[in-house]
Amino acid sequence: MEIAASEDCSDNTQRPDSDNDQRVYLVPYRWWKDAQDSLLEDSEKKKGVVFASLPGSSYAGPMRIINNIFNSDLVMSLRKEDDLQDCRENGGEVSVSGRDFALVSGDMWLQALKWHSDSKNAMKDDKGFSAADGDMAEVYPLQLRLSIMRETNTFGVRISKKDNAIELFKRACKMFSVDSEILRIWDFSGQITLFFANGKNHFPIDCQRQSDHEILLELQVYGLSDSLRCREGKKDEMTNFSSGASVKMNGSASSMNSNGVHDNSLTFSLGPGEAGTLGLIGLQNLGNTCFMNSALQCLAHTPKLVDYFLEDYGREINHDNPLGMNGEIALAFGDLIRKLWAPGASPVAPRMFKSKLARFAPQFSGFNQHDSQELLAFLLDGLHEDLNRVKCKPYAEVKDADGRPDEEVADEYWHNHLARNDSVIVDVCQGQYKSTLLCPVCRKISVTFDPFMYLSLPLPSSTMRSMTLTVISSGSNGKTQLSPYTISVTKHGKFEDLTRALSIACSLGADETLLVAEVYNNLIIRFLEDPADSLSLIRDADRLVAYRIMKDNGDAPLVIFIHQRMEELYIHGKSTSNWKAFGIPVVARLCNIVNGSDLCNLYLKWFCPFQQAALEDCAASNKNEAATEMATSSNSGPNVNELDISSDGEIEFYITDEKGTVRNSKILMDEPLTISGDSRLLHVLVCWSEKIKIYDTKLSSSLPEVFKSGFLAKRPQESVSLYRCLETFLQEEPLGPEDMWYCPGCKQHRQASKKLDLWRLPEILVIHLKRFQYSRYSKNKLETYVDFPIDNLDLSAYITLGNDKSYRYTLYAVSNHFGSMGGGHYTAFVHHGGDQWYDFDDSRVYPISKEKIKSSAAYVLFYRRVFEELT
């Protein structure tokens, strides 16, 4: 019986037995007695306090089941039996049945477990283990409610279905609900006696007092099968352990001392077939805790890390580290590792770890879904600080490289880091990369060598941005063409990257240039001309137009035509007219423009294709000869109708401001056109009458947004290699506007370029694939399929520090996220020797083929380094 809160006790509470392992187990009494009789002298044997349930007595009844419409409870009362205790202490024999159990501390349990597993004669005598492999002993948690009644030396036990999983409640029913036999619990741990001795306010800190009379405790049951074979005449419920193999809990070979446990390490022998099942224990979902279970299972199968926590790690806990958590995270994690690697255990409920996590990281409290990588980052950092061997961190001044070799500077940084940070996490999980910053103005270079715990690799699709712009050009026939183009540019790139990509997409001629503008409400609100501007200044909802203009006319002024037409409105039953802008503004060079008529022809030339489209629609609908002749005549000569329109006063031109709101002066067709001052830009307002109906203005009014994501639109499956992700991570890129760097040369914040290089690689390499994207307005998950190596991830070509070592890694665990951004589910794939992989889906654990390891759900990859010399 393990009491979940036994780690933390108040100052007035005496801890049972050991400072390192405060767990209490409920085990078969005979199993414990056999080990104690063999390991200890009579004078060293722990004295147990006996509590018994006597059927039919007035003060204690047998275990009984209470049912109501909401729940089912197992209820039992037990009283201290001084006569049985005196009889045993005086050397008398006590009749022991299958209803006798022992409460032992964690260290006592380990001691007995090792004695049984090392016993050469375990299968040869009546006290040996005769169970088959299918009757393997189990370790599983059980929640009970304890009531202490000091007046009568009794305590009540209530096991409720609402506190326990259905399967565990059924097991409790099978073990305890027998009315005809006396049930005895021999307390060798001192825990029950401790509760009797203390006042009602002196309970362990983490005990959950449910009322003035009840305390909710978590128990750990070991060595008791579901069917209780002792009722069939067999004396023991323990499974057969032989000394055929001696292994550590993570499967690596280890020696064994049959004299019991030393240094609080957890190493024991296993019988044939049992080694293959170690570590295949699930974690119960406590309510949206699949993210936590996924990360924990990956760490629980990390070589060396598991060995470390199965050894005497308590000696390295740093209780004085202000950055740590007084060792509580390390202890909770270590306790969980031991439960997951206990032989024959059933799914573990990580309640203690969850409570510690919520205490020190409130962001993970409650029952909301979280990110497994964020939990992993906190846990690795927390374990490091709790286990940091450095008690007093020295101050280390960071020196500038000053032209020194990279090797010297890197070693200096690493030495300074290790002087302040020294733990098993640093030993196993930390590497070092080189970071180079370059100022775009003064070209100042800054080089640092920083440690890393994991690599967060962007998916190439997440570093690129898809942008749609409309290119307006005049074709070889002199008519206007509107063509939308979608291009991909670096997300944190500059405007020059956009114009370069767009020039390639639209096959821009060597004698042409692009003038890009943003259009809003049929007006140009800005030109994008500075090539150094960040693309982050362009929003997805913006509408951009790129005008193709000849370079040889660069000295000529620009004219911007703004279209307006009269619209009739009905307000309160009355008709009223108002001028309203429409269409895309026209931009052109004023080359050889003498008078208003030239300006009109320049403008109407832009509208020719829209007139043709309108007439063709008319011909198609009317199917009459007149429409056909009109369509033919519209193609017979240049701008005849347009000139007629202007001469009839159906279209008028005015000099205006950039907003098109002020009509300064009307432009007459037969008068010279003059541009005042040194103005290089002329705004002209074009007012249309009813004749505008002969043009299909819809073609010139619709502009696509830069990027429009459809609601719940399913993007096509993308595929990319892990090496490509790494190359994207290592390539030089400009810092975002929110990450400006203070240049020591300029003495100002600059948007510097940054370049990362791998310098040192750790033994355990954790790679985080950045699938989740967040912005001010939206969040998104990338379903990109990443093709990652399983057996041979070779990073030799990416390591900057040259030596004669290879940098090959093999995959051993994957944290997966299935589903969408707002919900989804986390699982873990874990390698378990040979080609065998297992899927850890909360409490369920089942084999999975190697071919299914790679999927678009892969989120965090865990690699271990394969050490070998290069030949």
Side-chain angles (χ1 to χ4, degrees):
M1 176 173 68
E2 177 190 341
I3 298 182
S6 59
E7 290 181 6
D8 297 313
C9 299
S10 63
D11 294 337
N12 297 327
T13 303
Q14 182 181 356
R15 295 188 175 189
D17 277 62
S18 171
D19 289 334
N20 292 328
D21 192 348
Q22 296 293 300
R23 299 177 295 182
V24 181
Y25 288 79
L26 179 69
V27 300
Y29 173 78
R30 185 181 294 278
W31 177 84
W32 159 248
K33 183 176 181 294
D34 289 345
Q36 183 177 236
D37 289 346
S38 300
L39 290 173
L40 303 176
E41 300 294 336
D42 290 341
S43 59
E44 299 174 336
K45 293 179 182 178
K46 186 79 173 180
K47 308 303 181 184
V49 179
V50 188
F51 297 88
S53 170
L54 301 177
S57 68
S58 60
Y59 58 85
M63 179 69 80
R64 62 189 186 278
I65 301 178
I66 298 177
N67 291 292
N68 56 48
I69 61 174
F70 299 108
N71 225 322
S72 295
D73 291 348
L74 290 173
V75 179
M76 174 178 61
S77 296
L78 298 102
R79 191 181 71 171
K80 184 178 178 182
E81 293 293 323
D82 295 327
D83 293 341
L84 285 176
Q85 182 178 351
D86 294 340
C87 177
R88 190 184 189 283
E89 290 179 356
N90 294 327
E93 289 296 326
V94 178
S95 176
V96 176
S97 71
R99 299 272 287 172
D100 283 65
F101 306 99
L103 287 179
V104 297
S105 68
D107 285 349
M108 297 162 71
W109 173 74
L110 289 173
Q111 205 170 21
L113 182 63
K114 292 194 66 162
W115 179 84
H116 280 285
S117 61
D118 281 342
S119 176
K120 299 290 185 180
N121 301 318
M123 300 179 63
K124 297 180 181 180
D125 56 20
D126 293 339
K127 299 178 183 179
F129 309 106
S130 58
D133 289 342
D135 296 319
M136 188 178 188
E138 293 185 343
V139 180
Y140 56 89
L142 200 62
Q143 298 283 333
L144 62 79
R145 296 171 184 265
L146 182 66
S147 302
I148 302 297
M149 292 156 278
R150 295 176 181 79
E151 296 80 5
T152 57
N153 273 344
T154 64
F155 70 93
V157 177
R158 179 185 295 268
I159 304 174
S160 175
K161 187 185 293 184
K162 72 177 182 180
D163 296 330
N164 298 277
I166 279 289
E167 183 61 31
L168 300 185
F169 182 78
K170 289 180 178 178
R171 292 187 182 186
C173 291
K174 291 179 181 180
M175 283 192 296
F176 299 126
S177 59
V178 178
D179 294 345
S180 60
E181 294 185 69
I182 296 175
L183 183 146
R184 298 190 188 97
I185 294 181
W186 302 71
D187 182 18
F188 294 94
S189 69
Q191 187 65 58
I192 303 298
T193 305
L194 183 67
F195 283 135
F196 272 100
N198 288 329
K200 65 180 181 179
N201 296 323
H202 292 83
F203 288 96
I205 295 174
D206 289 338
C207 276
Q208 302 180 44
R209 176 177 287 277
Q210 301 298 306
S211 68
D212 290 339
H213 304 288
E214 283 190 340
I215 302 169
L216 181 63
L217 302 175
E218 179 179 319
L219 316 177
Q220 192 76 7
V221 181
Y222 179 81
L224 303 173
S225 66
D226 293 349
S227 59
L228 282 183
R229 293 177 295 105
C230 60
R231 299 177 192 171
E232 301 172 3
K234 297 181 180 180
K235 296 182 180 180
D236 288 320
E237 294 87 22
M238 289 302 300
T239 308
N240 180 14
F241 283 89
S242 73
S243 56
S246 180
V247 297
K248 279 192 177 181
M249 300 301 278
N250 67 347
S252 58
S254 173
S255 61
M256 186 78 63
N257 185 338
S258 61
N259 292 327
V261 175
H262 60 87
D263 293 334
N264 198 27
S265 61
L266 189 58
T267 310
F268 48 82
S269 301
L270 299 171
E274 291 188 39
T277 64
L278 284 177
L280 299 181
I281 308 301
L283 288 167
Q284 294 181 17
N285 193 317
L286 306 180
N288 274 336
T289 57
C290 59
F291 76 97
M292 180 181 74
N293 294 347
S294 173
L296 288 174
Q297 290 289 9
C298 292
L299 288 181
H301 292 82
T302 297
K304 289 197 174 179
L305 198 59
V306 174
D307 288 345
Y308 176 85
F309 280 99
L310 295 180
E311 297 288 344
D312 187 21
Y313 70 93
R315 295 176 300 178
E316 292 195 337
I317 291 181
N318 189 338
H319 295 281
D320 302 321
N321 187 357
L323 299 179
M325 285 150 277
N326 197 30
E328 294 188 45
I329 285 292
L331 287 170
F333 179 77
D335 178 68
L336 192 60
I337 291 294
R338 295 187 173 207
K339 289 180 180 178
L340 291 175
W341 282 94
S346 59
V348 176
R351 289 187 177 88
M352 175 58 67
F353 180 84
K354 177 74 164 59
S355 66
K356 297 293 185 183
L357 182 68
R359 176 181 174 187
F360 293 105
Q363 66 269 29
F364 297 115
S365 62
F367 299 98
N368 293 325
Q369 184 67 280
H370 294 282
D371 190 316
S372 67
Q373 188 274 333
E374 292 179 359
L375 170 70
L376 181 70
F378 167 80
L379 183 54
L380 287 177
D381 185 66
L383 290 175
H384 159 64
E385 297 296 352
D386 270 1
L387 300 169
N388 196 347
R389 304 177 185 112
V390 179
K391 299 300 190 289
C392 182
K393 296 185 178 183
Y395 171 77
E397 183 179 359
V398 178
K399 299 179 182 178
D400 194 79
D402 287 333
R404 291 181 293 163
D406 282 349
E407 291 79 2
E408 178 183 341
V409 180
D411 288 344
E412 181 180 277
Y413 270 85
W414 190 246
H415 174 77
N416 291 340
H417 175 68
L418 295 183
R420 297 172 56 85
N421 302 275
D422 181 17
S423 70
V424 64
I425 304 299
V426 175
D427 297 341
V428 175
C429 300
Q430 284 199 354
Q432 186 184 34
Y433 57 70
K434 174 185 177 182
S435 176
T436 305
L437 291 172
L438 173 64
C439 177
V441 179
C442 71
R443 314 306 292 178
K444 168 71 176 177
I445 297 177
S446 173
V447 177
T448 58
F449 292 85
D450 304 312
F452 66 85
M453 194 90 74
Y454 49 85
L455 297 178
S456 287
L457 303 187
L459 305 186
S461 58
S462 68
T463 65
M464 303 299 290
R465 182 180 181 186
S466 179
M467 304 182 73
T468 299
L469 297 87
T470 301
V471 176
I472 300 179
S473 60
S474 295
S476 58
N477 57 0
K479 294 183 179 180
T480 305
Q481 295 178 348
L482 278 71
S483 305
Y485 289 91
T486 299
I487 58 174
S488 292
V489 292
T490 304
K491 180 178 293 186
H492 299 296
K494 300 178 181 179
F495 176 67
E496 60 183 354
D497 300 321
L498 182 147
T499 54
R500 185 185 304 112
L502 187 60
S503 299
I504 296 173
C506 71
S507 302
L508 191 71
D511 57 347
E512 293 179 299
T513 187
L514 291 174
L515 181 62
V516 181
E518 180 183 349
V519 175
Y520 180 74
N521 282 344
N522 309 109
L523 298 173
I524 293 178
I525 61 174
R526 62 167 174 157
F527 286 99
L528 285 71
E529 298 179 285
D530 190 345
D533 278 350
S534 172
L535 291 180
S536 62
L537 299 175
I538 302 175
R539 299 171 301 177
D540 286 346
D542 292 345
R543 302 176 189 271
L544 300 184
V545 175
Y547 299 93
R548 295 179 73 153
I549 300 176
M550 302 301 295
K551 287 182 178 179
D552 55 6
N553 297 327
D555 294 336
L558 281 176
V559 58
I560 300 177
F561 294 101
I562 303 170
H563 326 293
Q564 280 191 353
R565 62 184 171 191
M566 185 67 70
E567 284 197 352
E568 190 172 2
L569 302 175
Y570 289 90
I571 303 177
H572 303 299
K574 295 183 179 180
S575 175
T576 181
S577 298
N578 190 28
W579 289 98
K580 185 177 181 180
F582 69 93
I584 303 170
V586 176
V587 177
R589 292 286 186 189
L590 289 175
C591 300
N592 302 319
I593 302 300
V594 177
N595 54 28
S597 180
D598 295 335
L599 185 70
C600 178
N601 288 335
L602 176 66
Y603 172 74
L604 293 177
K605 181 181 177 180
W606 191 85
F607 263 88
C608 281
F610 308 117
Q611 181 187 22
Q612 174 66 25
L615 295 177
E616 287 179 353
D617 288 343
C618 180
S621 60
N622 295 332
K623 299 292 185 180
N624 55 50
E625 184 178 353
T628 303
E629 292 178 354
M630 182 183 298
T632 303
S633 64
S634 67
N635 290 328
S636 61
N639 304 319
V640 174
N641 287 340
E642 289 83 343
L643 292 174
D644 290 343
I645 291 173
S646 61
S647 61
D648 291 342
E650 299 293 347
I651 182 171
E652 296 179 342
F653 296 83
Y654 295 88
I655 303 295
T656 185
D657 59 358
E658 60 185 12
K659 296 181 180 180
T661 57
V662 179
R663 300 184 183 185
N664 292 327
S665 59
K666 183 177 181 180
I667 300 176
L668 302 178
M669 296 296 103
D670 55 354
E671 291 188 2
L673 181 65
T674 59
I675 300 177
S676 60
D678 296 330
S679 175
R680 307 299 300 168
L681 187 62
L682 178 67
H683 291 85
V684 175
L685 180 64
V686 185
C687 299
W688 286 81
S689 66
E690 291 296 319
K691 287 285 183 134
I692 190 64
K693 293 181 180 179
I694 70 172
Y695 296 94
D696 187 1
T697 58
K698 291 185 294 184
L699 296 177
S700 65
S701 299
S702 177
L703 280 178
E705 296 179 357
V706 169
F707 178 78
K708 186 175 182 64
S709 57
F711 179 69
L712 295 180
K714 183 70 175 179
R715 292 189 176 186
Q717 179 76 10
E718 300 176 85
S719 178
V720 65
S721 72
L722 184 64
Y723 292 110
R724 173 72 189 285
C725 296
L726 180 60
E727 290 163 1
T728 303
F729 174 73
L730 297 177
Q731 72 183 10
E732 182 177 347
E733 64 176 5
L735 296 176
E738 67 280 359
D739 297 321
M740 302 286 277
W741 171 62
Y742 183 79
C743 175
C746 298
K747 306 298 183 184
Q748 292 185 25
H749 285 89
R750 300 293 189 189
Q751 191 175 358
S753 61
K754 183 176 183 179
K755 174 73 170 70
L756 292 177
D757 294 288
L758 298 179
W759 191 263
R760 281 184 174 88
L761 291 179
E763 182 174 343
I764 298 298
L765 180 62
V766 181
I767 297 178
H768 164 224
L769 303 176
K770 299 173 69 173
R771 292 195 177 276
F772 300 122
Q773 292 182 318
Y774 303 89
S775 69
R776 183 177 178 183
Y777 305 100
S778 65
K779 53 185 180 180
N780 181 43
K781 180 191 175 185
L782 299 174
E783 297 288 350
T784 305
Y785 174 86
V786 178
D787 186 8
F788 49 88
I790 295 179
D791 298 318
N792 185 18
L793 174 64
D794 191 353
L795 300 181
S796 302
Y798 299 92
I799 190 73
T800 305
L801 178 61
N803 53 39
D804 58 351
K805 294 282 188 180
S806 71
Y807 291 89
R808 294 197 308 110
Y809 288 81
T810 183
L811 187 75
Y812 71 89
V814 181
S815 175
N816 302 297
H817 179 270
F818 296 91
S820 62
M821 180 75 183
H825 181 61
Y826 286 92
T827 67
F829 294 157
V830 172
H831 180 241
H832 202 263
D835 288 333
Q836 186 61 63
W837 286 78
Y838 284 85
D839 185 351
F840 288 74
D841 186 355
D842 287 333
S843 59
R844 297 180 300 165
V845 181
Y846 49 87
I848 184 174
S849 65
K850 188 177 180 180
E851 292 72 24
K852 294 183 178 180
I853 299 304
K854 296 182 183 181
S855 74
S856 59
Y859 183 43
V860 185
L861 310 176
F862 294 76
Y863 284 92
R864 64 177 178 85
R865 188 170 169 186
V866 179
F867 290 93
E868 62 179 20
E869 295 288 339
L870 290 174
T871 57

